Amino acid sequence: MNKKVATKNTKTPNLYPKKTKIQVTIIFAVVLAMYLYSMNFTVSQTTGGFANSLSNMGNVIKEFFPPNLSILPIIWEPMATTIQMAVIATTVAALLTIPLSLLSARNITTIKPLYYITRISLNILRTIPDLVLAVIFVGLFGVGVFPGILALIIFSLGILAKLFGETVEAVDMDPLEAMRASGANVIQVIYYGLVPQVLPQFTSFVLYVFEINIRASVVLGLVGAGGIGLTLDRELNFYNYPNAMTIILLIFVVVIVIEYISTKIREALI
Amino acid sequence: MDKNVLPPKPKKSAFKKIKIIIITLAVIGIYVWTFLGIDINWARAIERVVNNFGNIVPKLFSPDWSAAGEVGEMILETIFIAFAGTLMASILAVPLGFLAAKNVTNNYIGTLGKWLLSANRSFPELILAILFIVAVGPNAFAGVLAIAIHSTGMLGKLYAEVIESIDMDIVEAMEASGANKVQILFFGVIPQVIPEFLSYAIYRFEIDIRASSVLGIVGAGGIGTMIIFASMNRNWNEMGLILLAIIVVVTIIDMISSRIRRKLV
Amino acid sequence: MIEFKNVGLVYPNGTEGLKNVNVKIEDGEFVVIVGLSGAGKSTFIRSINRLVTPTSGELLVDEENILTHKGKNLRALRTKVGMIFQNYNLVRRSNVLKNVLAGRLGHVGTFRSILNLYPKEDVALAYDNLKRVNIADKLYNRADELSGGQQQRVSIARVLTQQPKYILADEPVASLDPPTSHQVMTYLRKINKTDKITTIVNLHFIDMAMEYADRIIGMRAGEVVFDGPVSEVTDATFEEIYGRTIREDDLRGGADQ
């Protein structure tokens, strides 16, 4: 039967249908055109263009070396503040996330409007970058660690509530039904049926958000919201590149160490 | 009822007990250190917020539409930065991803490659942007480079994981039919990984849009430039508009991106 | 005593779960409901503890119409009516004792239960019930370490710890192999006889229904098509309930294994 078809159709078939080919070509052309335009647009702002920029980079990098390690004791304090900000923000966000994620889980919040309102406000919250929140809070509360912590809390709340809400939606509902059938009230059902199922994931997500918060809090100081970023900003403004390099290296080491520990713990949890 | 007394709980091993004690102490230690170390000036924060609240919050919700033209331009620049940076990264990450994949190279090079890639992503974009600004001047191109380098690290690692998860049976079948390495790469490996590569790159674009919207805070172009000026001039009506613009653009791009990604995989 | 008076149930999508059901179950009876899947067995059972709510008629449990129960009343009803599920419905990550104690949730206050402050008698009761179903040695094991039959026994212990007046069992053996199925049914039967707990079981295996039931109720398309003592049941009765001839897979088998 196949032979018949093959002999009838003398033209060799294309490897891909024509429509797919045209589609791919158009998409490719659009992406490329937009890329060329973007590059042209951004490069045009530089003095001397692309090649000049790259050669300039070599010279500048030399200025950053060798880093001035003698300032390490001085910069340790703002670094510690940075970590402390992340600890507090993560803790508060983790506590606030519990009611929020239950409200944003379809299987727990059966009141539809409540579920949709929570979902939509969390989605909007997640679109605002942490630094923008920090800028606004600095305007509200003045320069210091407090606006930074607040920005981190709000920012990580969006991520955490979404991740956790999805976990809650994926739990096995059977035990919860059994609890309800034995006369347990809502709080008991959640505590006995839900909590044991989601606790490991919850811990893991909190640690993950802590990693994100560490990376975010490092730069918050650039807008006056406390921590090491402020110190970095100052050194750069004074063209003190070796000092700046030390700060950058310290940030790098701290971020890597914390990420490593946190990843190991998370692997052990799940 | 006496006979119903519970049997003793099975004893936990000494190792486990010590582990639990150490973890508990570490957590308590971190919190003590944090709360002793952090210094929040509550009185000043409260005083400031009482004075400023009426000046700032209502204005955020009544955007200054006269700045719409400039905001639009800057948002466009933000998108350009993110687009150029992501595309550059998504291409640079391909060879790096292959180098870091254990089934393509070997175990040692693979592990080393992944280490380098994750070290790379530990530099926050803004720090990279600061470095590039020093090199190429305070403009959008510095932002493109910062996004590109940071995203290369992230994408390279994800690409390597995709390559490691491919079906090696197909590769074996091609080897058996006499194909050479390059042929295997193009006909056996790439078709398997392309959809996921694309999906990750598009997802990265979502993240980079958010990142590039704050690059201007350090002078690397995009809408962030306006954010920093609006806050310095205490022009909160304009800030309201900027915020609205970011929310709308990010939401739209997220929606388009997730629709495309759903089609791809 | 449980009494269905002209009970009907229409699901929101329009399917009729129950049609004009009139059944009276006396205290201490062991009733087995048989019928094909989708015949309304599950809806029938779940109406009694209001996991589903009939849309018409009256359902009396101990002379009280339960269809209007809400909040506190509803929880009191559910405390009185225990339930066993096809998939055991244990919290897989919690240990056996904690799962069994969950049966006391309706009796213990919210605050006490959340702090794990169960009265001593409750813990003793839970342990005693685990002994009754011969699984006391697994007390501190996590539920997901147990086999299906063991998990179902734990869920029986949970229901006993609830000290219910009625036990509902929704396809309790559908996920088990023949020997374990008989073991579970034997426990249910024994509990029914010694504790005088009225027991209503959904089964689709004809031979098991015949072996363990006092009384059989047959359902088809939401209606009760047969109701009578086991002695009146013949193969013809089942053929009428099922609306077709009896097949191999309607039997569990393995009674003497």
Side-chain angles (χ1 to χ4, degrees):
Chain A
M1 208 173 95
N2 278 334
K3 249 182 203 164
K4 235 183 189 170
V5 178
T7 45
K8 246 187 194 168
N9 194 356
T10 44
K11 217 178 90 188
T12 47
N14 284 324
L15 203 49
Y16 295 106
K18 216 170 197 164
K19 205 179 145 208
T20 319
K21 264 188 173 171
I22 294 171
Q23 265 178 355
V24 171
T25 315
I26 290 174
I27 292 172
F28 198 73
V30 168
V31 169
L32 193 71
M34 194 162 158
Y35 177 67
L36 289 175
Y37 185 74
S38 307
M39 279 306 275
N40 189 37
F41 183 87
T42 51
V43 172
S44 67
Q45 295 183 13
T46 62
T47 43
F50 191 72
N52 189 31
S53 304
L54 286 182
S55 69
N56 194 17
M57 212 181 297
N59 293 331
V60 172
I61 287 172
K62 263 185 233 148
E63 282 184 48
F64 277 92
F65 285 94
N68 175 12
L69 293 179
S70 65
I71 62 157
L72 267 181
I74 307 167
I75 60 172
W76 174 247
E77 204 189 320
M79 189 70 232
T81 310
T82 304
I83 301 171
Q84 288 159 347
M85 284 164 66
V87 170
I88 296 178
T90 311
T91 312
V92 176
L95 294 177
L96 293 179
T97 239
I98 295 167
L100 266 182
S101 55
L102 292 180
L103 285 176
S104 70
R106 211 187 310 243
N107 52 351
I108 303 292
T109 304
T110 37
I111 310 164
K112 277 259 168 71
L114 199 60
Y115 159 79
Y116 282 115
I117 289 171
T118 327
R119 267 279 151 115
I120 290 170
S121 22
L122 283 176
N123 281 341
I124 290 177
L125 206 61
R126 258 201 319 281
T127 60
I128 308 174
D130 45 355
L131 266 181
V132 178
L133 288 171
V135 167
I136 293 170
F137 288 137
V138 167
L140 266 175
F141 298 98
V143 174
V145 289
F146 184 68
I149 293 174
L150 213 55
L152 289 180
I153 291 174
I154 307 256
F155 176 69
S156 44
L157 201 57
I159 306 176
L160 207 49
K162 177 175 185 250
L163 286 173
F164 194 48
E166 278 165 5
T167 314
V168 171
E169 281 187 346
V171 298
D172 176 10
M173 290 301 281
D174 286 352
L176 278 74
E177 188 187 27
M179 310 257 160
R180 219 174 303 132
S182 72
N185 63 33
V186 178
I187 297 173
Q188 288 172 325
V189 168
I190 289 177
Y191 189 77
Y192 271 81
L194 191 67
V195 171
Q197 291 192 57
V198 296
L199 202 57
Q201 275 98 331
F202 180 67
T203 324
S204 167
F205 288 146
V206 169
L207 281 169
Y208 171 68
V209 164
F210 179 60
E211 289 173 40
I212 294 180
N213 275 341
I214 284 278
R215 245 177 288 155
S217 67
V218 158
V219 294
L220 283 179
L222 295 174
V223 296
I228 188 106
L230 196 65
T231 324
L232 179 63
D233 196 35
R234 205 170 45 219
E235 298 298 334
L236 283 169
N237 285 339
F238 290 126
Y239 303 102
N240 227 333
Y241 292 132
N243 286 3
M245 195 64 211
T246 317
I247 296 172
I248 290 170
L249 285 177
L250 181 66
I251 290 175
F252 181 65
V253 170
V254 167
V255 169
I256 284 207
V257 168
I258 288 179
E259 261 181 26
Y260 180 78
I261 297 172
S262 163
T263 313
K264 283 287 155 207
I265 299 177
R266 285 198 286 133
E267 276 170 8
L269 274 171
I270 297 190
Chain B
M1 283 303 244
D2 267 4
K3 64 179 170 52
N4 281 328
V5 171
L6 288 180
K9 282 198 180 191
K11 278 221 174 75
K12 282 185 180 132
S13 69
F15 176 70
K16 225 177 170 178
K17 261 187 195 164
I18 292 171
K19 212 167 97 182
I20 290 172
I21 292 171
I22 289 177
I23 292 173
T24 319
L25 285 180
V27 171
I28 293 173
I30 288 172
Y31 276 107
V32 169
W33 174 71
T34 297
F35 285 104
L36 289 182
I38 203 90
D39 176 29
I40 299 176
N41 194 339
W42 289 105
R44 208 184 52 142
I46 291 168
E47 188 204 308
R48 286 287 302 255
V49 79
V50 169
N51 291 338
N52 290 345
F53 194 86
N55 266 331
I56 296 179
V57 177
K59 286 188 182 168
L60 284 178
F61 290 96
S62 56
D64 171 16
W65 292 104
S66 66
E70 203 190 342
V71 169
E73 243 171 65
M74 287 311 237
I75 279 280
L76 212 57
E77 184 175 282
T78 307
I79 297 173
F80 284 153
I81 294 172
F83 188 82
T86 311
L87 191 62
M88 213 189 268
S90 63
I91 292 162
L92 280 176
V94 173
L96 292 174
F98 274 97
L99 272 180
K102 283 177 191 167
N103 54 350
V104 176
T105 52
N106 64 42
N107 233 330
Y108 297 105
I109 299 178
T111 315
L112 185 75
K114 273 207 209 88
W115 257 94
L116 286 176
L117 287 171
S118 43
N120 180 12
R121 84 198 160 92
S122 293
F123 277 108
E125 279 112 344
L126 274 177
I127 305 273
L128 287 171
I130 289 171
L131 292 177
F132 284 121
I133 283 170
V134 176
V136 303
N139 51 48
F141 187 57
V144 172
L145 290 177
I147 299 269
I149 300 291
H150 184 84
S151 297
T152 305
M154 286 301 273
L155 283 176
K157 185 171 166 270
L158 291 170
Y159 283 4
E161 281 165 9
V162 171
I163 297 164
E164 280 171 6
S165 70
I166 63 166
D167 185 358
M168 289 301 277
D169 292 352
I170 298 171
V171 175
E172 206 182 351
M174 290 195 162
E175 264 168 12
S177 71
N180 65 32
K181 288 253 174 198
V182 178
Q183 287 170 324
I184 290 172
L185 189 67
F186 274 88
F187 289 92
V189 179
I190 289 182
Q192 287 192 60
V193 296
I194 277 286
E196 282 182 77
F197 275 20
L198 280 177
S199 166
Y200 276 132
I202 294 169
Y203 175 61
R204 193 63 220 173
F205 181 58
E206 284 179 48
I207 300 175
D208 285 343
I209 282 281
R210 287 176 169 81
S212 65
S213 66
V214 295
L215 285 173
I217 289 175
V218 296
I223 190 87
T225 322
M226 288 191 79
I227 293 176
I228 208 73
F229 281 126
S231 89
M232 279 198 280
N233 301 332
R234 322 215 111 244
N235 192 346
W236 298 106
N237 297 103
E238 192 178 303
M239 186 71 96
L241 184 70
I242 297 170
L243 213 52
L244 187 69
I246 292 180
I247 292 174
V248 169
V249 167
V250 171
T251 308
I252 291 173
I253 287 180
D254 279 7
M255 261 159 49
I256 297 173
S257 149
S258 66
R259 191 157 298 171
I260 297 178
R261 284 189 288 129
R262 219 173 303 145
K263 261 193 179 166
L264 274 173
V265 179
Chain C
M1 195 178 70
I2 296 170
E3 197 175 354
F4 283 69
K5 282 186 180 168
N6 300 318
V7 173
L9 189 152
V10 183
Y11 283 107
N13 64 9
T15 45
E16 271 189 274
L18 296 176
K19 277 183 228 163
N20 196 26
V21 172
N22 283 292
V23 169
K24 202 168 171 182
I25 295 168
E26 300 292 338
D27 286 346
E29 275 191 285
F30 194 100
V31 183
V32 171
I33 324 264
V34 294
L36 291 169
S37 60
K41 305 191 298 277
S42 218
T43 312
F44 179 91
I45 266 202
R46 281 160 190 259
S47 296
I48 301 171
N49 64 355
R50 284 279 309 283
L51 285 180
V52 297
T53 305
T55 44
S56 61
E58 277 188 347
L59 209 172
L60 307 181
V61 175
D62 297 337
E63 273 88 48
E64 255 183 289
N65 185 14
I66 58 148
L67 295 188
T68 52
H69 279 17
K70 266 193 213 123
K72 218 172 177 157
N73 276 340
L74 183 57
R75 287 202 296 277
L77 164 78
R78 287 173 176 174
T79 309
K80 191 163 66 177
V81 183
M83 189 161 192
I84 291 168
F85 300 83
Q86 174 180 349
N87 300 316
Y88 334 125
N89 293 18
L90 302 178
V91 183
R92 303 173 59 82
R93 295 186 54 91
S94 293
N95 71 25
V96 166
L97 180 63
K98 208 171 167 192
N99 266 300
V100 174
L101 276 170
R104 295 304 295 171
L105 288 177
H107 298 270
V108 183
T110 310
F111 188 67
R112 283 193 88 143
S113 59
I114 281 180
L115 293 176
N116 273 326
L117 293 171
Y118 287 99
K120 262 211 179 87
E121 308 84 70
D122 285 6
V123 183
L125 179 69
Y127 185 48
D128 200 27
N129 287 327
L130 279 168
K131 280 199 231 160
R132 279 186 76 181
V133 291
N134 275 322
I135 196 141
D137 53 322
K138 303 282 187 199
L139 193 60
Y140 296 115
N141 286 57
R142 255 169 60 162
D144 54 6
E145 292 166 6
L146 306 184
S147 69
Q150 288 172 324
Q151 288 195 39
Q152 195 58 294
R153 270 145 65 195
V154 171
S155 87
I156 294 175
R158 173 174 68 189
V159 110
L160 282 174
T161 309
Q162 190 180 331
Q163 294 182 306
K165 200 174 162 202
Y166 306 94
I167 290 180
L168 312 173
D170 194 6
E171 296 280 3
V173 300
S175 310
L176 302 173
D177 58 20
T180 331
S181 299
H182 283 285
Q183 199 186 29
V184 164
M185 286 306 290
T186 309
Y187 279 122
L188 286 178
R189 175 84 191 169
K190 212 159 85 188
I191 289 160
N192 164 256
K193 290 290 166 262
T194 49
D195 298 22
K196 306 271 180 285
I197 299 175
T198 314
T199 307
I200 306 170
V201 185
N202 275 349
L203 285 176
H204 61 268
F205 297 117
I206 290 164
D207 51 342
M208 292 200 91
M210 293 296 286
E211 191 174 338
Y212 296 99
D214 293 333
R215 168 180 167 191
I216 285 180
I217 294 176
M219 293 193 73
R220 195 168 74 197
E223 282 176 291
V224 172
V225 291
F226 175 86
D227 184 357
V230 160
S231 52
E232 286 176 14
V233 179
T234 61
D235 279 0
T237 322
F238 280 115
E239 284 181 2
E240 197 196 311
I241 295 171
Y242 282 32
R244 57 165 170 74
T245 50
I246 300 308
R247 296 193 303 232
E248 190 65 24
D249 58 348
D250 297 328
L251 304 171
R252 170 101 287 189
D256 25 47
Q257 259 173 310

